[in-house]
Amino acid sequence: MSAEDRLDRARAKLNRVDPQQAAALLADGALVVDIRPHANRLAEGEIPGSVVVERIVLEWRLDPTGTHRLPGLTANTPVVLVCNEGYASSLAAADALELGLHRATDLTGGFRAWQAAGLPVVPGGTPAAP
């Protein structure tokens, strides 16, 4: 299976959200998870209130039944994954669904779409969740 096929398969499972929908979800208490590399976050900024999770440990932090999950995370927590442009986040969101996060999705267009929509951005470089 090609990377494009895998992306298409992942996105078929998701109800992806645009920047305004993601902002509304965040305002309503959704968990926004930024999986971008530190260099991108440092250069471009971050979404206020987002949680940084390194991709290498993402499944452990998003497993709602795991001992290494993010504090307060449950299977019913709405989760929006964010990458640079909305590709890696689609794959990660599909993985989150498979872990049992029934309300997981990703941000169409990623952080750059959020920024282009004029939504708030804070300086980047926040350490990843332990």
Side-chain angles (χ1 to χ4, degrees):
M1 175 184 315
S2 73
E4 291 299 322
D5 291 339
R6 189 162 178 252
L7 181 63
D8 290 343
R9 184 174 286 179
R11 286 181 173 168
K13 299 175 187 177
L14 303 172
N15 293 316
R16 301 181 78 209
V17 295
D18 65 27
Q20 290 75 19
Q21 292 168 313
L25 287 167
L26 179 61
D28 286 341
L31 178 64
V32 174
V33 178
D34 191 335
I35 64 170
R36 295 177 300 140
H38 182 264
N40 292 105
R41 292 183 286 105
L42 193 58
E44 299 178 60
E46 299 173 3
I47 296 171
S50 64
V51 175
V52 176
V53 177
E54 300 279 342
R55 183 64 184 98
I56 194 169
V57 296
L58 186 67
E59 285 79 8
W60 284 266
R61 300 299 177 263
L62 294 185
D63 180 351
T65 62
T67 57
H68 300 289
R69 71 183 175 272
L70 292 171
L73 182 75
T74 71
N76 293 319
T77 301
V79 176
V80 180
L81 286 123
V82 179
C83 67
N84 287 330
E85 296 179 340
Y87 295 95
S89 59
S90 292
L91 298 172
D95 288 346
L97 286 173
E98 289 179 12
L99 287 169
L101 289 175
H102 310 293
R103 298 174 69 190
T105 190
D106 78 319
L107 175 58
T108 303
F111 177 82
R112 293 179 183 155
W114 174 280
Q115 193 172 38
L119 292 165
V121 174
V122 296
T126 302

